[in-house]
Amino acid sequence: MSEKYAPKSVEEKWQERWEASKIYKVTEDSSRKKYYLLEMFPYPSGRIHMGHVRNYSIGDVIARFKRMKGFNVLHPMGWDAFGMPAENAAIQHKSHPARWTYENIDYMRKQLKKMGLSYDWDRELATCDVEYYKWEQLIFLQMYKKGLAYRKTSFVNWCPTCETVLANEQVEDGCCWRCDNEVQQKELEQWFFRITDYAEELLDYTGKLPGWPERVLTMQRNWIGRSTGCEIDFPLEGHLAKIKVFTTRQDTLFGATFMSLAPEHPMALELTTPENRERVQAFIDKVQKTDRVKRAAEDFEKEGVFTGSYCINPVTNRRMPIYLANFVLTDYGTGAVMAVPTHDQRDFEFAGKYGLPLQVVIQPEEKQLDPETMVAAFTDEGVMVNSGRFDGIRSGEAKERIADYLEAEGIGKKTVNYRLRDWGISRQRYWGNPIPIIYCDLCGVVPVPEKDLPVVLPMDVEFTGEGGSPLARIPEFATTTCPQCGEAARRETDTMDTFVESSWYFLRYCCPDFVAGPLDKARVGYWMSVDQYIGGIEHAVLHLLYARFFTKVLRDLGYVDVDEPFVNLLTQGMVIKDGAKMSKSKGNVVDPDALIGKYGADTARLFSLFAAPPEKDLDWSDQGVEGSFRFLNRVWKLVHDLLTFVRQAGLVAPISLSPASRDLRRVVHKTIKKVTEDIEERFHFNTAIAAVMELVNAIQAFEPKNDPLNAPVLREALESVVLLLAPFVPHVSSELWEILGHEGGVEKAGWPGFDPAAVVDEELLVVVQVNGKLRGKITVPASAAEATVREAAFVDSRVKPFVEGKEVKKVIVVPGKLVNIVVA
RNA sequence: GCGAGAGUGGCGGAACUGGCAGACGCACUGGACUUAGGAUCCAGCGGGCAACCGUGGGGGUUCAACUCCCCCCUCUCGCACCA
């Protein structure tokens, strides 16, 4: 290899070697400690971006470090390959989603290989591969059997022009993002996963994941949104039926003066009296035309309409008019709210607008509430009034007492309510996993028998962009026969949400070639859980919640033994340039191909690791990249320049070292210690790299370099630099390691350990303060007694003037650190 | 409004259990080498002439505070009419 650092040839050489020898391939080995390191797999959008470079560089450091430490490291990669962009690209380029996807995968795989990432490529999987998604269909059927997959009617965003359901993200200002027509709320029958069955456990375990960032846990807790309260039945006037409400404020029950229902409440029209019918219908239509985003806005005006019916407050017997109100959500609680205008701000505003009565039932201590003069609802704790037998007790306690009372009287019961909704997985899309269900006019919903799996996604489809589910337009797919009765039947033509695939891919990585079922329990048992998961914060709720849910479902189906998929989670920050997240629309993207072409993968990796700690946003700087490149050049040159001096060097014999080489050796071992700790305990790669830079500076400053007596120490120093850098910049490290005369690669060398004896200082720099201000620095032998240090402090020439002639009140000596002299 | 996190040189960032604030890198300045330097090497680099002052602001604890406590300000992210 030439003297000049030529990243391209070095990187190609090592990448070929790694590929040919498959050194990152792993198999289960119960005699070794496993480590499962996973980065979120990418969507094959075309090419990798800097976010990927950063994410995968971070992961690769940990994988390589753990491998050098002797762990059996599972480090897989694959493709989250189903999804809408492929379909849109197909429409645009008159191509096929499969072709587009697989071409992207081929290109991106090459890019990742160029990065020198240490994956076991034999475990690669693509979720659009029938060998993957067929198992997902089986899991779906097993969930269906257990009632965890079910069908129900719900409101969704519907674009009438494109004839398809849109996700909330695809609705912009109430209009379809593609055709710009107004989006409606439409009631549709869709498939759901019963994630709410696991709400309690999902919430409970957020307290048992100490390796997760607090903010992710908080976001999941908010999302699950557990609240405790009561369900209370309000009898209807003149009906036998009752209206059930959910409330967390049963202490305000005596103040409930009217009832608010969601406009979509199933009893809304039934309760409307003939003379109100027109107005009520108009109101419902109006609300349904309003999209969810607008309706949820805080400044959205509270409006309602009287149905003409009344219900009865079960504890006061007050006659309560029943309204429909636009702020009552149909899918939270029971879709009905007992309105207590005195103690709920929304109800207060609503009552004001429609002239509804106010009844105070909680009095604050410091003032007296009067319905006539109230300007806002009182929502804090206070003392109960106008509440019969509960008068005089604190409202907090009354919550309990009233709940007990309601249960005893059979009026209501204590319940727990969740904000979390069941996961709607139906998509009217082609490029996804077909839901394995058949609809028969005679037998109804019939699951595809397991023996008939997989339901293969047909390839001959036309992409017109017309909208509607493409699968529904393929008669050979959509029409079939009922597996039960043999009569003509229809296939489900919706596909699954792509988040389903990413909910279990990490399990399949453990046994990607398993043919007898979705998961090989023994192999999954060996590898799971994922020891370290790394990805962007944008999946804090979605993917990370779904994956947790799926793991628990698969546990209950008997496939896995773990409760949680990911022990430790690292959410890396964004890549920022010129003050904004890198994006095409901002025009501030840095192309990884160009970067690697110019500087090599090692520089790209080094910079993205050095510029910021992983969890923080990374500010891209072209000059910073230059700096990283410069550093690698320095290391390269240093090793080559010193090669002749160290080639013949033997092992270090610590006893016979000169003071200078003993000092260098101390720096070497301190650096090993620091780098190890920074990687292992904190993932602070930036400070680890900084420490190696300091070591390189120390080696450069070391003299004399050509003294044969110093050669062993110098050699140890160089080898340490190379090995410590190996997880960060594997190509150049491998090359230099070979140049230093080692066969078998850095992987075999193992992670260097430090000699505890070598890191002990012989002399210590002790800071001398007078009244807490820095006045001098003294160097003392490490073995010096406290009294000696104290004396040395007093006689220091820079300290003396501040102490002389003054009364010394106190002297604090922190061994090895400082002396603080307190004078009057 | 609720919750989480963050405010340190010109910039990215260090400072682990309170003990030299600014490691390391970038940028910048001066010098060396050079036909040349946008390469490389050497030196300098928070502010102030100085005493001193400096980690968003104000208090406090301590011999000693970026670090601990109280109050406030700003920013980022998430949730938010959730009954």
Side-chain angles (χ1 to χ4, degrees), chain A residues 160-172:
Chain A
T161 318
C162 303
E163 291 187 328
T164 188
V165 168
L166 297 173
N168 285 345
E169 321 62 87
Q170 292 148 23
V171 181
E172 292 165 359

Side-chain angles (χ1 to χ4, degrees), chain A residues 631-668:
Chain A
F631 172 68
L632 293 182
N633 274 289
R634 277 175 63 206
V635 174
W636 180 270
K637 196 166 177 307
L638 186 68
V639 171
H640 283 82
D641 287 351
L642 299 187
L643 204 54
T644 51
F645 304 139
V646 302
R647 189 168 270 143
Q648 304 301 325
L651 288 174
V652 174
I655 321 271
S656 58
L657 297 178
S658 68
S661 58
R662 209 158 46 228
D663 285 346
L664 178 62
R665 187 157 190 268
R666 186 174 310 109
V667 176
V668 169

Side-chain angles (χ1 to χ4, degrees), chain A residues 510-539:
Chain A
C510 300
C511 51
D513 53 356
F514 190 57
V515 291
L519 299 169
D520 178 347
K521 202 169 176 187
R523 293 159 78 187
V524 171
Y526 174 75
W527 292 114
M528 284 299 285
S529 302
V530 174
D531 294 279
Q532 183 66 53
Y533 197 31
I534 308 167
I537 188 83
E538 66 272 18
H539 290 294

Side-chain angles (χ1 to χ4, degrees), chain A residues 665-675 754 759 761:
Chain A
R665 187 157 190 268
R666 186 174 310 109
V667 176
V668 169
H669 285 262
K670 278 188 170 180
T671 305
I672 295 172
K673 184 169 188 280
K674 177 166 174 57
V675 172
F754 66 91
V759 300
D761 288 297

Side-chain angles (χ1 to χ4, degrees), chain A residues 200 225-231 246-250 332 399-400 413-418:
Chain A
E200 195 62 47
R226 182 186 201 265
S227 51
T228 53
C230 284
E231 277 179 3
F246 171 75
T247 182
T248 58
R249 291 300 305 272
Q250 59 272 13
Y332 183 80
K399 252 187 196 172
E400 277 306 306
K413 62 171 194 206
K414 296 179 196 173
T415 60
V416 177
N417 194 56
Y418 299 93

Side-chain angles (χ1 to χ4, degrees), chain A residues 589-733:
Chain A
V589 288
V590 175
D591 175 35
D593 279 349
L595 183 71
I596 292 168
K598 189 169 177 193
Y599 299 102
D602 281 335
T603 295
R605 295 169 56 124
L606 186 66
F607 176 72
S608 62
L609 295 163
F610 177 64
E615 67 278 8
K616 278 186 135 193
D617 285 349
L618 182 150
D619 226 340
W620 195 267
S621 149
D622 293 335
Q623 283 131 342
V625 176
E626 290 273 357
S628 294
F629 183 61
R630 212 150 38 213
F631 172 68
L632 293 182
N633 274 289
R634 277 175 63 206
V635 174
W636 180 270
K637 196 166 177 307
L638 186 68
V639 171
H640 283 82
D641 287 351
L642 299 187
L643 204 54
T644 51
F645 304 139
V646 302
R647 189 168 270 143
Q648 304 301 325
L651 288 174
V652 174
I655 321 271
S656 58
L657 297 178
S658 68
S661 58
R662 209 158 46 228
D663 285 346
L664 178 62
R665 187 157 190 268
R666 186 174 310 109
V667 176
V668 169
H669 285 262
K670 278 188 170 180
T671 305
I672 295 172
K673 184 169 188 280
K674 177 166 174 57
V675 172
T676 307
E677 287 167 358
D678 280 354
I679 296 178
E680 201 156 48
E681 292 164 19
R682 313 192 299 161
F683 299 147
H684 277 203
F685 309 129
N686 55 332
T687 53
I689 293 165
V692 181
M693 287 173 169
E694 286 185 80
L695 174 57
V696 169
N697 292 343
I699 297 171
Q700 269 174 339
F702 179 77
E703 291 298 343
K705 294 190 176 79
N706 60 358
D707 184 343
L709 288 174
N710 291 333
V713 167
L714 213 49
R715 180 178 184 88
E716 186 190 41
L718 288 178
E719 291 188 344
S720 300
V721 166
V722 170
L723 290 178
L724 292 177
L725 285 176
F728 306 101
V729 286
H731 311 90
V732 68
S733 300

Side-chain angles (χ1 to χ4, degrees), chain A residues 109 168 189 224 276 355 421 807:
Chain A
R109 187 193 301 109
N168 285 345
E189 229 186 342
I224 296 167
N276 289 301
R421 323 259 156 80
E807 182 199 347

